[in-house]
Amino acid sequence: MDISYDYYRVFYYAARYRSFSRAAEALLSNQPNVTKFMNNLEAQLGCRLFVRSNRGVTLTPEGEKLCEMAKKLLDMAAEIEEKMHLS
């Protein structure tokens, strides 16, 4: 399974904002793209990450676990970029 870093990044924003629309705004994208990414990610992982409602989204237990790991991944990527630019 080869899941793009971007999928985890979009997932983290959707989880953080509890809304695909608000995540899209923060990522300078649009809600249909975020929805497509999240549907693809759920299909690739074989589990539901969000419970969707007209009030936004909430994380499933699997989504909560992934959110913790995605935050670590994004933090590590930011640290790598910071350290590489200091060289």
Coordinates of all heavy atoms in Angstrom, one line a residue:
M1 N 0.9 -1.2 0.0 CA 0.0 0.0 0.0 C 0.9 1.2 0.0 O 1.8 1.4 0.8 CB -0.9 -0.1 1.3 CG -1.8 1.1 1.4 SD -2.8 1.1 2.9 CE -2.8 -0.5 3.5
D2 N 0.6 2.1 -0.9 CA 1.4 3.3 -1.1 C 0.5 4.5 -1.0 O 0.0 5.0 -2.0 CB 2.2 3.3 -2.4 CG 3.2 4.4 -2.6 OD1 3.7 4.9 -1.5 OD2 3.5 4.7 -3.7
I3 N 0.4 5.1 0.2 CA -0.5 6.2 0.5 C 0.3 7.5 0.5 O 1.3 7.6 1.2 CB -1.3 6.0 1.8 CG1 -2.2 4.7 1.7 CG2 -2.2 7.2 2.0 CD1 -2.9 4.4 3.0
S4 N -0.1 8.4 -0.2 CA 0.6 9.7 -0.3 C 0.6 10.5 1.0 O -0.4 10.5 1.7 CB -0.1 10.5 -1.4 OG 0.4 11.9 -1.4
Y5 N 1.6 11.2 1.2 CA 1.7 12.1 2.4 C 0.6 13.1 2.4 O 0.0 13.4 3.4 CB 3.1 12.8 2.3 CG 3.2 14.0 3.2 CD1 3.5 13.8 4.6 CD2 3.0 15.3 2.8 CE1 3.6 14.9 5.4 CE2 3.1 16.4 3.6 CZ 3.4 16.2 5.0 OH 3.5 17.3 5.8
D6 N 0.2 13.5 1.2 CA -0.9 14.5 1.1 C -2.2 14.0 1.6 O -3.0 14.7 2.2 CB -1.1 14.9 -0.4 CG 0.0 15.8 -0.9 OD1 0.6 16.5 -0.1 OD2 0.3 15.7 -2.1
Y7 N -2.5 12.7 1.5 CA -3.7 12.1 2.1 C -3.7 12.3 3.6 O -4.7 12.6 4.2 CB -3.8 10.6 1.7 CG -4.4 10.4 0.4 CD1 -3.7 10.8 -0.8 CD2 -5.6 9.8 0.2 CE1 -4.2 10.6 -2.0 CE2 -6.1 9.5 -1.0 CZ -5.5 10.0 -2.2 OH -6.0 9.7 -3.4
Y8 N -2.5 12.0 4.2 CA -2.4 12.2 5.7 C -2.6 13.6 6.1 O -3.2 14.0 7.1 CB -1.1 11.6 6.2 CG -1.1 10.1 6.0 CD1 -0.1 9.5 5.2 CD2 -2.0 9.2 6.6 CE1 -0.1 8.1 5.1 CE2 -2.0 7.9 6.5 CZ -1.0 7.3 5.7 OH -1.0 6.0 5.5
R9 N -2.0 14.5 5.3 CA -2.1 16.0 5.6 C -3.5 16.4 5.5 O -4.0 17.1 6.4 CB -1.2 16.7 4.6 CG -1.0 18.2 4.9 CD 0.1 18.7 3.9 NE -0.3 20.1 3.6 CZ -0.9 20.5 2.5 NH1 -1.4 19.6 1.7 NH2 -1.2 21.8 2.3
V10 N -4.2 16.1 4.4 CA -5.6 16.4 4.3 C -6.5 15.8 5.4 O -7.3 16.5 6.0 CB -6.2 16.1 2.9 CG1 -7.7 16.3 2.8 CG2 -5.4 16.8 1.8
F11 N -6.2 14.6 5.7 CA -6.9 13.9 6.8 C -6.7 14.7 8.1 O -7.7 14.9 8.8 CB -6.4 12.4 7.0 CG -6.9 11.9 8.3 CD1 -8.1 11.4 8.5 CD2 -6.0 11.9 9.4 CE1 -8.6 10.9 9.7 CE2 -6.4 11.4 10.6 CZ -7.7 10.9 10.8
Y12 N -5.5 15.1 8.4 CA -5.2 15.8 9.7 C -6.0 17.1 9.8 O -6.6 17.4 10.8 CB -3.7 16.0 9.9 CG -3.5 16.7 11.1 CD1 -3.6 16.1 12.4 CD2 -3.2 18.1 11.1 CE1 -3.4 16.8 13.6 CE2 -2.9 18.8 12.3 CZ -3.0 18.1 13.5 OH -2.8 18.8 14.7
Y13 N -6.0 17.8 8.7 CA -6.8 19.1 8.7 C -8.3 18.8 8.8 O -9.0 19.5 9.6 CB -6.5 19.9 7.4 CG -5.3 20.7 7.5 CD1 -4.0 20.2 7.3 CD2 -5.4 22.1 7.8 CE1 -2.9 20.9 7.4 CE2 -4.2 22.9 7.9 CZ -3.0 22.3 7.7 OH -1.9 23.1 7.9
A14 N -8.8 17.8 8.2 CA -10.3 17.5 8.3 C -10.6 17.1 9.7 O -11.6 17.5 10.3 CB -10.7 16.4 7.3
A15 N -9.7 16.3 10.3 CA -9.9 15.9 11.7 C -9.7 17.1 12.7 O -10.5 17.2 13.6 CB -8.8 14.8 12.1
R16 N -8.8 17.9 12.4 CA -8.5 19.1 13.3 C -9.7 20.0 13.3 O -10.1 20.5 14.3 CB -7.3 19.8 12.8 CG -6.9 21.0 13.6 CD -5.6 21.5 13.1 NE -5.4 22.9 13.5 CZ -4.6 23.7 13.0 NH1 -3.8 23.4 12.0 NH2 -4.4 24.9 13.5
Y17 N -10.2 20.3 12.1 CA -11.3 21.3 11.9 C -12.7 20.6 12.1 O -13.7 21.4 12.1 CB -11.2 22.0 10.6 CG -10.1 23.0 10.6 CD1 -8.9 22.7 9.8 CD2 -10.1 24.2 11.3 CE1 -7.9 23.6 9.8 CE2 -9.0 25.0 11.3 CZ -7.9 24.8 10.5 OH -6.9 25.7 10.5
R18 N -12.7 19.3 12.1 CA -14.0 18.6 12.2 C -15.0 19.0 11.1 O -16.2 18.9 11.3 CB -14.7 18.8 13.6 CG -13.8 18.5 14.8 CD -13.7 17.0 15.0 NE -13.1 16.8 16.3 CZ -12.3 15.8 16.5 NH1 -12.0 14.9 15.6 NH2 -11.8 15.6 17.7
S19 N -14.4 19.3 9.9 CA -15.2 19.7 8.8 C -14.4 19.6 7.5 O -13.2 20.1 7.5 CB -15.6 21.2 9.0 OG -16.1 21.8 7.8
F20 N -15.0 19.0 6.5 CA -14.3 18.9 5.2 C -14.2 20.3 4.6 O -13.2 20.7 4.0 CB -15.0 18.0 4.3 CG -14.8 16.5 4.7 CD1 -15.4 15.5 4.0 CD2 -14.1 16.1 5.8 CE1 -15.3 14.2 4.3 CE2 -13.9 14.8 6.1 CZ -14.6 13.8 5.4
S21 N -15.2 21.1 4.7 CA -15.3 22.5 4.2 C -14.2 23.4 4.8 O -13.5 24.1 4.1 CB -16.6 23.1 4.3 OG -17.6 22.4 3.6
R22 N -14.1 23.4 6.1 CA -13.1 24.2 6.8 C -11.7 23.7 6.5 O -10.8 24.5 6.4 CB -13.4 24.2 8.3 CG -14.7 25.0 8.6 CD -15.0 25.2 10.0 NE -13.9 25.8 10.8 CZ -13.7 25.6 12.1 NH1 -14.5 24.8 12.8 NH2 -12.7 26.1 12.7
A23 N -11.5 22.4 6.4 CA -10.2 21.9 6.0 C -9.8 22.3 4.6 O -8.7 22.8 4.4 CB -10.2 20.3 6.1
A24 N -10.8 22.3 3.7 CA -10.5 22.8 2.4 C -10.1 24.2 2.4 O -9.2 24.6 1.7 CB -11.8 22.6 1.5
E25 N -10.8 25.1 3.1 CA -10.4 26.5 3.2 C -9.0 26.6 3.7 O -8.2 27.4 3.2 CB -11.3 27.2 4.2 CG -12.7 27.5 3.6 CD -13.6 28.2 4.7 OE1 -13.1 28.8 5.6 OE2 -14.8 28.0 4.5
A26 N -8.6 25.9 4.8 CA -7.3 26.0 5.4 C -6.2 25.5 4.4 O -5.1 26.0 4.4 CB -7.2 25.2 6.7
L27 N -6.6 24.6 3.6 CA -5.6 24.0 2.6 C -5.7 24.7 1.2 O -5.0 24.2 0.3 CB -5.9 22.5 2.4 CG -5.7 21.6 3.6 CD1 -6.4 20.3 3.5 CD2 -4.2 21.5 3.9
L28 N -6.5 25.7 1.1 CA -6.7 26.4 -0.1 C -7.1 25.5 -1.2 O -6.6 25.5 -2.4 CB -5.4 27.2 -0.5 CG -4.8 28.2 0.5 CD1 -3.5 28.8 0.0 CD2 -5.9 29.2 0.8
S29 N -8.1 24.7 -0.9 CA -8.6 23.7 -1.8 C -10.1 23.8 -1.9 O -10.6 24.9 -1.6 CB -8.2 22.3 -1.4 OG -8.6 21.3 -2.3
N30 N -10.8 22.8 -2.2 CA -12.3 22.8 -2.1 C -12.8 21.6 -1.5 O -12.1 20.5 -1.4 CB -12.9 23.1 -3.5 CG -12.5 22.0 -4.5 OD1 -12.7 20.8 -4.3 ND2 -12.0 22.4 -5.7
Q31 N -14.1 21.6 -1.0 CA -14.7 20.6 -0.3 C -14.8 19.3 -1.1 O -14.5 18.2 -0.5 CB -16.0 21.0 0.3 CG -16.8 20.0 1.1 CD -17.7 19.1 0.2 OE1 -18.3 19.6 -0.7 NE2 -17.8 17.9 0.6
P32 N -15.1 19.3 -2.4 CA -15.2 18.0 -3.1 C -13.8 17.3 -3.2 O -13.8 16.1 -3.1 CB -15.7 18.4 -4.5 CG -16.5 19.7 -4.3 CD -15.7 20.4 -3.1
N33 N -12.7 18.1 -3.3 CA -11.4 17.4 -3.3 C -11.1 16.8 -1.9 O -10.5 15.7 -1.9 CB -10.3 18.5 -3.6 CG -10.2 18.8 -5.1 OD1 -10.8 18.0 -5.9 ND2 -9.6 19.9 -5.4
V34 N -11.4 17.5 -0.8 CA -11.2 16.9 0.5 C -12.0 15.6 0.6 O -11.5 14.6 1.1 CB -11.5 17.9 1.6 CG1 -11.4 17.3 3.0 CG2 -10.5 19.1 1.5
T35 N -13.3 15.7 0.3 CA -14.1 14.5 0.4 C -13.6 13.3 -0.5 O -13.5 12.2 0.0 CB -15.6 14.8 -0.1 OG1 -16.1 15.9 0.7 CG2 -16.5 13.6 -0.1
K36 N -13.1 13.6 -1.7 CA -12.5 12.6 -2.5 C -11.3 12.0 -1.9 O -11.1 10.8 -1.8 CB -12.1 13.2 -3.9 CG -11.5 12.2 -4.9 CD -11.2 12.9 -6.2 CE -10.4 11.9 -7.1 NZ -10.0 12.6 -8.3
F37 N -10.4 12.8 -1.3 CA -9.2 12.3 -0.7 C -9.6 11.4 0.5 O -9.0 10.4 0.7 CB -8.3 13.5 -0.2 CG -7.3 14.0 -1.1 CD1 -7.6 14.3 -2.4 CD2 -6.0 14.1 -0.7 CE1 -6.6 14.8 -3.3 CE2 -5.0 14.5 -1.6 CZ -5.3 14.9 -2.9
M38 N -10.5 11.9 1.3 CA -10.9 11.1 2.5 C -11.6 9.8 2.1 O -11.4 8.7 2.7 CB -11.8 11.9 3.4 CG -11.1 13.1 4.0 SD -9.5 12.7 4.9 CE -8.3 12.8 3.6
N39 N -12.4 9.8 1.1 CA -13.0 8.5 0.6 C -12.0 7.6 0.1 O -12.0 6.4 0.4 CB -14.1 8.8 -0.5 CG -15.3 9.5 0.0 OD1 -15.6 9.4 1.2 ND2 -16.1 10.1 -0.8
N40 N -11.0 8.1 -0.6 CA -9.9 7.3 -1.1 C -9.0 6.7 0.0 O -8.7 5.5 0.0 CB -9.0 8.0 -2.1 CG -9.7 8.3 -3.4 OD1 -10.7 7.7 -3.8 ND2 -9.2 9.3 -4.2
L41 N -8.8 7.6 1.0 CA -7.9 7.1 2.1 C -8.7 6.0 2.9 O -8.1 5.0 3.2 CB -7.6 8.3 3.1 CG -6.8 8.0 4.3 CD1 -5.4 7.4 3.9 CD2 -6.6 9.2 5.1
E42 N -9.9 6.2 3.2 CA -10.7 5.2 3.9 C -10.7 3.9 3.1 O -10.6 2.8 3.6 CB -12.1 5.7 4.1 CG -12.2 6.7 5.2 CD -13.6 7.3 5.4 OE1 -14.4 7.4 4.4 OE2 -13.9 7.6 6.6
A43 N -10.9 4.0 1.8 CA -10.9 2.8 0.9 C -9.5 2.1 1.0 O -9.4 0.8 1.1 CB -11.2 3.1 -0.5
Q44 N -8.4 2.8 0.9 CA -7.1 2.2 0.9 C -6.8 1.6 2.3 O -6.1 0.6 2.3 CB -6.0 3.3 0.6 CG -6.0 3.7 -0.9 CD -5.0 4.6 -1.3 OE1 -4.4 5.3 -0.4 NE2 -4.6 4.7 -2.5
L45 N -7.2 2.2 3.3 CA -7.0 1.7 4.7 C -8.0 0.6 5.1 O -7.7 -0.2 6.0 CB -7.0 2.8 5.7 CG -5.9 3.8 5.6 CD1 -6.1 4.9 6.6 CD2 -4.5 3.2 5.8
G46 N -9.1 0.6 4.4 CA -10.1 -0.5 4.6 C -10.9 -0.2 5.9 O -11.3 -1.2 6.6
C47 N -11.1 1.0 6.3 CA -11.8 1.3 7.5 C -12.4 2.7 7.4 O -11.9 3.6 6.6 CB -11.0 1.2 8.8 SG -9.6 2.4 8.9
R48 N -13.4 3.0 8.2 CA -14.0 4.3 8.2 C -13.2 5.1 9.2 O -12.9 4.7 10.3 CB -15.5 4.2 8.7 CG -16.3 3.6 7.6 CD -17.8 3.8 7.8 NE -18.1 5.2 7.8 CZ -19.3 5.7 8.3 NH1 -20.2 4.9 8.7 NH2 -19.5 7.0 8.3
L49 N -12.9 6.4 8.9 CA -12.2 7.3 9.7 C -13.1 8.3 10.3 O -12.7 8.9 11.4 CB -11.0 7.9 8.9 CG -10.0 6.9 8.3 CD1 -9.1 7.7 7.4 CD2 -9.2 6.2 9.4
F50 N -14.2 8.6 9.6 CA -15.1 9.7 10.0 C -16.5 9.2 10.1 O -16.9 8.4 9.3 CB -15.0 10.9 9.0 CG -13.7 11.6 8.9 CD1 -12.9 11.3 7.9 CD2 -13.4 12.5 9.8 CE1 -11.7 11.9 7.7 CE2 -12.2 13.2 9.7 CZ -11.3 12.9 8.7
V51 N -17.3 9.8 11.0 CA -18.7 9.7 11.0 C -19.2 11.1 10.5 O -18.9 12.1 11.1 CB -19.3 9.4 12.4 CG1 -20.8 9.4 12.3 CG2 -18.8 8.1 12.9
R52 N -19.9 11.0 9.3 CA -20.3 12.3 8.7 C -21.7 12.6 9.1 O -22.6 11.8 9.2 CB -20.2 12.1 7.2 CG -18.8 11.9 6.7 CD -18.8 11.0 5.4 NE -17.5 11.0 4.7 CZ -16.6 10.1 5.0 NH1 -16.7 9.3 6.0 NH2 -15.4 10.1 4.3
S53 N -21.9 13.9 9.3 CA -23.3 14.4 9.6 C -23.4 15.8 9.0 O -22.4 16.3 8.5 CB -23.5 14.5 11.1 OG -22.9 15.6 11.7
N54 N -24.6 16.4 9.0 CA -24.7 17.7 8.5 C -24.1 18.8 9.4 O -24.1 19.9 9.0 CB -26.2 18.0 8.1 CG -27.1 17.8 9.3 OD1 -26.7 17.4 10.4 ND2 -28.4 18.1 9.2
R55 N -23.6 18.4 10.5 CA -22.9 19.3 11.4 C -21.4 19.2 11.3 O -20.7 19.9 12.0 CB -23.3 19.1 12.9 CG -24.8 19.4 13.1 CD -25.1 19.2 14.6 NE -26.5 19.4 14.8 CZ -27.0 19.5 16.0 NH1 -26.3 19.2 17.1 NH2 -28.3 19.7 16.1
G56 N -20.9 18.4 10.4 CA -19.5 18.2 10.3 C -19.1 16.7 10.4 O -20.0 15.9 10.1
V57 N -17.9 16.5 10.8 CA -17.5 15.1 11.0 C -16.9 14.9 12.4 O -16.4 15.8 13.0 CB -16.4 14.7 9.9 CG1 -17.0 14.8 8.5 CG2 -15.2 15.6 10.0
T58 N -17.0 13.6 12.8 CA -16.3 13.2 14.0 C -15.5 12.0 13.7 O -15.8 11.3 12.7 CB -17.3 12.9 15.2 OG1 -18.2 11.9 14.7 CG2 -18.1 14.1 15.6
L59 N -14.5 11.8 14.5 CA -13.6 10.7 14.2 C -14.1 9.4 14.8 O -14.6 9.4 15.9 CB -12.2 11.0 14.8 CG -11.4 12.1 14.1 CD1 -10.2 12.4 15.0 CD2 -11.0 11.7 12.7
T60 N -13.9 8.3 14.1 CA -14.1 7.0 14.6 C -12.9 6.6 15.5 O -11.9 7.3 15.5 CB -14.2 5.9 13.5 OG1 -13.0 5.9 12.8 CG2 -15.4 6.3 12.5
P61 N -13.0 5.5 16.2 CA -11.8 5.1 17.0 C -10.6 4.9 16.1 O -9.5 5.3 16.5 CB -12.2 3.8 17.6 CG -13.7 3.9 17.8 CD -14.2 4.7 16.6
E62 N -10.8 4.4 14.9 CA -9.6 4.2 14.0 C -9.1 5.6 13.5 O -7.9 5.8 13.4 CB -10.1 3.4 12.7 CG -10.4 2.0 13.0 CD -11.8 1.7 13.5 OE1 -12.6 2.7 13.6 OE2 -12.1 0.6 13.8
G63 N -10.1 6.5 13.3 CA -9.7 7.9 13.0 C -8.9 8.6 14.1 O -8.0 9.3 13.8
E64 N -9.3 8.3 15.3 CA -8.5 8.9 16.5 C -7.1 8.4 16.5 O -6.2 9.2 16.6 CB -9.2 8.6 17.8 CG -10.6 9.2 18.0 CD -10.5 10.7 18.4 OE1 -9.4 11.2 18.7 OE2 -11.5 11.3 18.5
K65 N -6.9 7.1 16.2 CA -5.6 6.6 16.2 C -4.8 7.2 15.1 O -3.6 7.5 15.3 CB -5.6 5.0 16.1 CG -6.1 4.3 17.3 CD -6.2 2.8 17.0 CE -7.0 2.1 18.0 NZ -7.3 0.7 17.7
L66 N -5.4 7.2 13.9 CA -4.7 7.8 12.7 C -4.3 9.2 13.0 O -3.3 9.7 12.6 CB -5.5 7.6 11.5 CG -4.8 8.1 10.2 CD1 -3.5 7.4 10.0 CD2 -5.7 7.9 9.0
C67 N -5.2 10.0 13.6 CA -5.0 11.4 13.8 C -3.7 11.6 14.7 O -2.9 12.5 14.4 CB -6.2 12.0 14.5 SG -6.1 13.8 14.6
E68 N -3.5 10.8 15.7 CA -2.3 10.9 16.5 C -1.1 10.6 15.7 O -0.1 11.4 15.8 CB -2.4 9.9 17.7 CG -3.4 10.2 18.7 CD -3.5 9.0 19.7 OE1 -2.6 8.3 19.9 OE2 -4.6 8.9 20.3
M69 N -1.1 9.6 14.8 CA 0.0 9.3 14.0 C 0.2 10.3 12.9 O 1.4 10.6 12.6 CB -0.2 7.9 13.4 CG -0.1 6.8 14.5 SD -0.2 5.1 13.7 CE -2.0 5.0 13.5
A70 N -0.8 10.8 12.3 CA -0.7 11.8 11.3 C -0.1 13.1 11.8 O 0.8 13.7 11.2 CB -2.1 12.1 10.7
K71 N -0.4 13.5 13.1 CA 0.2 14.7 13.7 C 1.7 14.5 13.8 O 2.5 15.4 13.5 CB -0.5 15.0 15.0 CG 0.2 16.2 15.7 CD -0.6 16.7 16.9 CE 0.0 17.9 17.5 NZ 1.2 18.6 17.0
K72 N 2.1 13.3 14.3 CA 3.5 13.0 14.4 C 4.2 13.1 13.1 O 5.3 13.6 13.0 CB 3.7 11.6 15.1 CG 3.3 11.6 16.5 CD 3.5 10.1 17.1 CE 3.0 10.0 18.5 NZ 3.0 8.7 19.0
L73 N 3.6 12.5 12.0 CA 4.1 12.6 10.7 C 4.3 14.0 10.2 O 5.4 14.4 9.7 CB 3.2 11.8 9.7 CG 3.6 11.8 8.3 CD1 4.9 11.1 8.0 CD2 2.5 11.2 7.4
L74 N 3.3 14.8 10.4 CA 3.4 16.2 9.9 C 4.4 17.0 10.7 O 5.1 17.8 10.2 CB 2.0 16.9 10.0 CG 0.9 16.3 9.1 CD1 -0.4 17.0 9.4 CD2 1.3 16.4 7.7
D75 N 4.5 16.7 12.0 CA 5.5 17.4 12.9 C 6.9 17.0 12.4 O 7.8 17.8 12.3 CB 5.3 17.1 14.4 CG 4.1 17.7 15.0 OD1 3.5 18.6 14.4 OD2 3.7 17.3 16.1
M76 N 7.1 15.7 12.1 CA 8.4 15.2 11.7 C 8.8 15.8 10.3 O 9.9 16.3 10.1 CB 8.4 13.7 11.6 CG 9.8 13.2 11.2 SD 9.8 11.4 11.2 CE 9.6 11.0 12.9
A77 N 7.8 15.9 9.4 CA 8.1 16.5 8.1 C 8.5 18.0 8.3 O 9.4 18.5 7.6 CB 6.9 16.4 7.2
A78 N 7.8 18.7 9.2 CA 8.1 20.1 9.4 C 9.5 20.3 10.0 O 10.3 21.2 9.6 CB 7.1 20.8 10.3
E79 N 9.9 19.3 10.9 CA 11.2 19.4 11.5 C 12.3 19.1 10.4 O 13.3 19.8 10.4 CB 11.3 18.3 12.6 CG 12.6 18.3 13.3 CD 12.7 17.3 14.4 OE1 11.6 16.7 14.8 OE2 13.8 17.0 14.9
I80 N 12.0 18.1 9.6 CA 13.0 17.8 8.5 C 13.2 19.1 7.6 O 14.3 19.5 7.3 CB 12.5 16.6 7.6 CG1 12.6 15.4 8.5 CG2 13.3 16.5 6.3 CD1 11.9 14.2 7.9
E81 N 12.1 19.7 7.2 CA 12.2 20.9 6.3 C 12.9 22.0 7.0 O 13.8 22.6 6.4 CB 10.8 21.3 6.0 CG 10.1 20.4 5.0 CD 8.6 20.8 4.7 OE1 8.2 21.9 5.1 OE2 7.9 20.0 4.1
E82 N 12.6 22.2 8.3 CA 13.3 23.2 9.1 C 14.8 23.0 9.1 O 15.6 23.9 8.9 CB 12.7 23.3 10.5 CG 13.4 24.4 11.3 CD 12.8 24.4 12.7 OE1 11.5 24.3 12.9 OE2 13.6 24.5 13.7
K83 N 15.2 21.8 9.5 CA 16.6 21.4 9.6 C 17.4 21.4 8.3 O 18.5 21.8 8.2 CB 16.8 20.1 10.3 CG 16.4 20.2 11.8 CD 16.7 18.9 12.5 CE 16.3 19.2 14.0 NZ 16.6 18.0 14.8
M84 N 16.7 21.0 7.2 CA 17.4 21.0 5.9 C 17.6 22.5 5.4 O 18.5 22.7 4.7 CB 16.5 20.2 4.9 CG 16.5 18.8 5.2 SD 18.1 18.0 5.5 CE 18.7 18.1 3.8
H85 N 16.7 23.4 5.8 CA 16.9 24.8 5.3 C 17.9 25.5 6.1 O 18.4 26.5 5.7 CB 15.5 25.5 5.4 CG 14.5 25.1 4.4 ND1 14.8 24.7 3.1 CD2 13.2 25.0 4.5 CE1 13.8 24.3 2.5 NE2 12.7 24.5 3.3
L86 N 18.3 25.0 7.3 CA 19.3 25.6 8.1 C 20.7 25.2 7.6 O 21.7 25.9 8.0 CB 19.2 25.1 9.6 CG 17.9 25.6 10.3 CD1 17.8 25.1 11.7 CD2 17.9 27.2 10.3
S87 N 20.9 24.2 6.8 CA 22.2 23.8 6.4 C 22.8 24.7 5.4 O 22.2 25.4 4.7 CB 22.1 22.4 5.7 OG 21.5 21.5 6.5

